[in-house]
């Protein structure tokens, strides 16, 4: 069995090592995050992930193949998602036009076509559902070429993971994070039953960093204190200093192609500070328009997804822009019903400020209210479980 691994995570690489040792499989390509992992697979291609995300394949002796028009047509059904996914790499300046996105997309397809053919690949193992175009290209080539794929789907802590053979496909197995014993469906159901009963305490336990950060960013004094903490905390400050030497970015620079972009760490920090400020402003805006009292009329609950995230792209397809989903739901409401929208709390979290524009323009919420009838936003303080129980229907793009 010849296989590639679209990951550099230790637990997946450990599984790859066991597959070589115990099953006689051969690893031909993986992402290299640590030197010691590269040494474990000296005969395989160790791809620097950030460079691969920008379409830079000079690390490999396998050159991208120029696809014929007929070959390109085989991937036409995947192209919309791929073009949209480049938003992740063009979030600071929004300058990467359709032609450049299409060119890099086809370059990535050509690379994986060449890799799979030269190495006679039978299996592609992914870290999770593809988030970046480079991974999505590998997935698409595997599907067109009838090459098996294996995609672990992470669950909440304690539930391990689930395994699937394709994006949004039925689960084929479930297991622990170390690829060990499979967990039962009964255990997963018991966990989610307990989660529903004690949702508040479990949320505070699992997502304390997000809930604390989200609260801080909504309050100016706490916001400034959090910044001061990061500046004067020795461990965090050392990390910042070290990043001046080691920092790499998958983001496109202004007036520079994605392939040739190399954003300096100071520029990245500057752009990130602007995003944090925008998140702060968006949170204040949301709090002003959000109601603390759910409607007394029948309502459909619309739970927004954090962006950018796999739940919107690639999984949501043409509804990757969530305002389109909202418009669709609002247009199809029965008379007298309300569409109640709750923003994803992570959308306001400053530690998730990697991407430009926060993927919410400054007028996002007001535009939705202005362009749609019978639509309300609901406060972040109201439990999502209680809203689900009170709603007639829950609408969302993918899993929440």
């Amino acid at each position: 069995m010849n296989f590639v691994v679209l990951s550099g995570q230790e637990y997946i690489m450990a599984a790859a090592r066991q597959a070589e040792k115990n099953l006689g499989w051969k690893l031909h390509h993986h992402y290299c995050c640590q030197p010691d992992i590269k040494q474990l697979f000296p005969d395989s291609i160790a791809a620097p992930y950030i460079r691969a995300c920008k379409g830079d394949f000079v690390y490999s002796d396998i050159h991208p193949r120029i696809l014929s028009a007929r070959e390109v047509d085989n991937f036409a059904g995947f192209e919309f998602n791929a073009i949209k996914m480049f938003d992740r790499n063009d979030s600071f300046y929004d300058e990467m036009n359709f032609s450049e996105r299409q060119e890099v997309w086809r370059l990535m397809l050509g690379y994986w076509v060449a890799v799979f053919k030269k190495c006679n690949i039978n299996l592609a193992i992914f870290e999770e559902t593809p988030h970046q175009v480079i991974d999505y290209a590998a997935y698409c080539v595997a599907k067109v070429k009838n090459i098996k794929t294996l995609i672990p789907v992470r669950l909440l802590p304690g539930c391990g993971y689930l395994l699937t053979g394709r994006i949004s496909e039925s689960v084929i197995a479930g297991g622990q994070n170390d690829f060990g014993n499979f967990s039962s469906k009964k255990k997963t159901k018991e966990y989610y039953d307990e989660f529903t009963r004690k949702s508040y305490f479990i949320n505070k336990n699992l997502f304390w960093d997000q809930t604390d950060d989200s609260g801080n960013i909504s309050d100016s004094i706490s916001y400034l204190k959090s910044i001061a903490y990061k500046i004067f905390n020795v461990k965090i400050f050392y990390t910042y200093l070290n990043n001046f030497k080691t920092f790499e970015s998958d983001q496109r620079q202004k007036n520079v192609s994605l392939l040739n972009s190399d954003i300096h760490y100071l520029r990245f920090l500057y752009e990130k500070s602007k995003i944090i400020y925008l998140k702060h402003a968006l949170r204040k805006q949301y709090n002003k328009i959000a109601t603390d009292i759910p409607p007394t009329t029948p309502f459909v609950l619309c739970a927004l997804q954090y962006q950018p995230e796999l739940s919107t792209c690639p999984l949501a397809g043409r509804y990757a822009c969530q305002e389109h989903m909202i418009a669709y739901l609002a247009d199809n409401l029965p008379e007298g019903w309300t569409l109640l929208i709750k923003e994803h709390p992570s959308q306001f979290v400053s530690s998730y400020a990697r991407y430009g524009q926060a993927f919410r323009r400054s007028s996002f919420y007001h535009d939705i209210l202005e362009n749609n009838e019978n639509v309300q936003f609901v406060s972040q303080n109201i439990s999502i479980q209680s809203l689900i129980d009170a709603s007639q229907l829950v609408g969302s793009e993918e899993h929440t």
Side-chain angles (χ1 to χ4, degrees):
M1 176 74 76
N2 297 315
F3 69 108
V4 298
V5 172
L6 282 299
S7 174
Q9 293 290 343
E10 290 187 17
Y11 71 95
I12 292 185
M13 299 312 298
R17 185 66 174 167
Q18 290 298 316
E20 283 200 332
K21 182 178 179 181
N22 299 330
L23 302 177
W25 293 9
K26 176 64 177 175
L27 178 64
H28 289 271
H29 191 292
H30 66 93
Y31 293 134
C32 182
C33 298
Q34 300 176 10
D36 55 338
I37 292 180
K38 184 177 181 179
Q39 294 173 6
L40 293 175
F41 307 96
D43 298 327
S44 67
I45 299 171
Y49 187 58
I50 296 299
R51 291 170 65 181
C53 288
K54 295 187 290 187
D56 180 1
F57 304 115
V58 296
Y59 55 80
S60 173
D61 60 355
I62 301 178
H63 301 290
R65 175 179 165 184
I66 299 177
L67 302 181
S68 68
R70 181 171 296 179
E71 286 177 305
V72 170
D73 283 346
N74 291 330
F75 300 98
F78 303 104
E79 189 168 89
F80 175 88
N81 279 338
I83 297 300
K84 181 61 179 173
M85 287 176 77
F86 276 117
D87 285 353
R88 286 175 170 265
N89 309 103
D90 187 33
S91 61
F92 288 153
Y93 306 110
D94 194 24
E95 283 191 343
M96 192 175 181
N97 61 33
F98 178 85
S99 296
E100 183 184 354
R101 294 182 184 214
Q102 191 177 63
E103 180 182 356
V104 179
W105 160 241
R106 293 181 180 181
L107 179 72
M108 292 176 174
L109 289 175
Y111 177 70
W112 288 117
V113 167
V115 169
F116 287 2
K117 182 177 181 179
K118 182 174 181 178
C119 302
N120 193 25
I121 299 301
N122 311 111
L123 173 67
I125 301 176
F126 294 80
E127 181 178 324
E128 55 188 337
T129 299
H131 285 57
Q132 291 271 11
V133 184
I134 184 63
D135 301 328
Y136 188 62
Y139 171 82
C140 295
V141 171
K143 289 308 170 187
V144 169
K145 301 294 184 182
N146 293 317
I147 295 170
K148 292 181 180 179
T149 56
L150 184 62
I151 305 173
V153 179
R154 292 179 294 174
L155 299 176
L156 291 170
C159 285
Y161 65 89
L162 301 174
L163 298 179
T164 179
R166 64 170 59 236
I167 296 175
S168 293
E169 187 181 57
S170 299
V171 170
I172 57 177
Q176 300 299 318
N177 287 333
D178 62 356
F179 281 69
N181 297 325
F182 289 132
S183 62
S184 66
K185 292 182 179 179
K186 180 180 179 182
K187 177 182 177 182
T188 303
K189 183 179 184 303
E190 289 174 351
Y191 188 98
Y192 279 102
D193 288 344
E194 184 72 5
F195 181 88
T196 301
R197 287 193 295 269
K198 300 180 179 179
S199 60
Y200 173 79
F201 300 101
I202 293 177
N203 273 325
K204 288 293 290 183
N205 182 43
L206 295 179
F207 308 121
W208 62 269
D209 59 332
Q210 295 186 34
T211 52
D212 290 350
D213 197 353
S214 179
N216 288 342
I217 205 171
S218 65
D219 177 76
S220 298
I221 301 300
S222 299
Y223 173 59
L224 293 175
K225 285 182 178 180
S226 66
I227 292 178
Y229 170 79
K230 292 176 181 179
I231 292 176
F232 294 105
N233 182 286
V234 175
K235 185 176 181 180
I236 296 177
F237 186 70
Y238 174 78
T239 301
Y240 282 138
L241 288 178
N242 188 56
N243 281 342
F244 278 96
K245 295 181 180 180
T246 62
F247 179 75
E248 291 183 294
S249 174
D250 59 1
Q251 295 299 298
R252 187 183 186 277
Q253 284 179 268
K254 191 176 182 64
N255 300 323
V256 180
S257 68
L258 178 62
L259 177 62
N260 295 317
S261 292
D262 186 19
I263 292 179
H264 191 273
Y265 188 54
L266 280 177
R267 168 59 66 175
F268 174 81
L269 291 178
Y270 171 70
E271 298 294 345
K272 183 173 181 177
S273 67
K274 292 198 301 183
I275 303 165
I276 293 174
Y277 178 80
L278 176 58
K279 284 175 175 279
H280 178 62
L282 285 171
R283 176 63 184 245
K284 292 177 65 175
Q285 181 188 126
Y286 185 88
N287 287 341
K288 287 182 180 180
I289 63 176
T291 178
D292 290 316
I293 304 175
T296 56
T297 57
F299 68 88
V300 173
L301 176 62
C302 178
L304 297 185
Q305 302 288 345
Y306 170 76
Q307 284 189 300
E309 190 52 273
L310 67 88
S311 51
T312 54
C313 193
L315 296 183
R318 63 193 181 96
Y319 292 106
C321 296
Q322 295 187 82
E323 52 265 50
H324 300 328
M325 172 194 65
I326 292 170
Y328 179 84
L329 292 174
D331 286 346
N332 288 278
L333 286 176
E335 185 175 351
W337 286 36
T338 300
L339 183 64
L340 191 65
I341 306 170
K342 186 172 185 182
E343 177 63 284
H344 197 294
S346 295
Q347 201 65 47
F348 303 122
V349 175
S350 62
S351 57
Y352 286 8
R354 173 186 174 194
Y355 297 101
Q357 304 304 311
F359 278 75
R360 295 281 191 272
R361 60 185 180 278
S362 58
S363 62
F364 179 80
Y365 304 117
H366 286 299
D367 287 347
I368 288 174
L369 291 176
E370 184 175 334
N371 297 330
N372 301 278
E373 297 180 359
N374 300 324
V375 167
Q376 293 182 20
F377 287 96
V378 66
S379 171
Q380 294 282 299
N381 297 323
I382 299 180
S383 163
I384 190 70
Q385 277 77 25
S386 66
L387 293 174
I388 291 173
D389 291 339
S391 68
Q392 274 62 48
L393 188 69
V394 177
S396 189
E397 291 170 306
E398 260 290 336
H399 38 68
T400 57

